[in-house]
Amino acid sequence: MEQKRIYEQVGVAMTSRSYAEYEKMFMLQLEQLQGKRVLDVAGGASSFTVEARQLGILSEAVDPLYEKSSEEIDQHGRQEIGLVAAKMEKLQDVYDWSFYGSLQNHTAGRI
């Protein structure tokens, strides 16, 4: 019997997704969001909120992570990026890379 490989996650992972990632993931339509308020809950260190604001979306983000200093968030984020890359490397052959192209592109988009 083949052992099923899984992406192991303990606790809450810090995210760092872009507007483009959320747009594709949730099928967002810019024209439906411009001028509207959007709340990114558990926003992590993502660029989504700033990118959305640049597009005319009244976006805000909340996350317990925001009680840390910017230096602590940066350090935590870089650790998290390394952990995620290591986990994904083990599963490269089962992941759909059509959006990112490769693990290297996925990782580069988070730094």
Side-chain angles (χ1 to χ4, degrees):
M1 178 186 299
E2 183 179 330
Q3 185 176 1
K4 186 175 182 177
R5 294 180 297 151
I6 60 170
Y7 181 91
E8 296 180 19
Q9 179 63 44
V10 177
V12 178
M14 181 174 137
T15 62
S16 52
R17 296 190 189 277
S18 67
Y19 180 86
E21 287 176 276
Y22 279 157
E23 183 177 48
K24 179 132 176 124
M25 186 184 303
F26 298 119
M27 296 183 288
L28 302 179
Q29 301 295 317
L30 180 60
E31 61 277 358
Q32 294 176 350
L33 296 173
Q34 286 177 316
K36 303 259 175 58
R37 295 186 67 178
V38 171
L39 178 62
D40 184 3
V41 177
S46 74
S47 61
F48 170 80
T49 301
V50 72
E51 291 177 59
R53 283 183 167 263
Q54 291 169 344
L55 294 169
I57 301 167
L58 308 174
S59 58
E60 295 182 58
V62 295
D63 195 302
L65 180 70
Y66 299 161
E67 72 182 12
K68 296 179 180 286
S69 71
S70 58
E71 292 81 14
E72 290 172 315
I73 292 172
D74 181 65
Q75 181 181 11
H76 178 73
R78 290 179 186 279
Q79 271 184 304
E80 191 76 22
I81 290 165
L83 290 171
V84 168
K87 291 176 192 178
M88 291 179 78
E89 187 171 19
K90 296 176 188 175
L91 301 170
Q92 283 189 77
D93 60 319
V94 297
Y95 194 82
D96 177 359
W97 293 105
S98 57
F99 182 80
Y100 300 107
S102 69
L103 175 58
Q104 293 75 20
N105 291 345
H106 177 272
T107 301
R110 280 159 173 58
I111 296 177

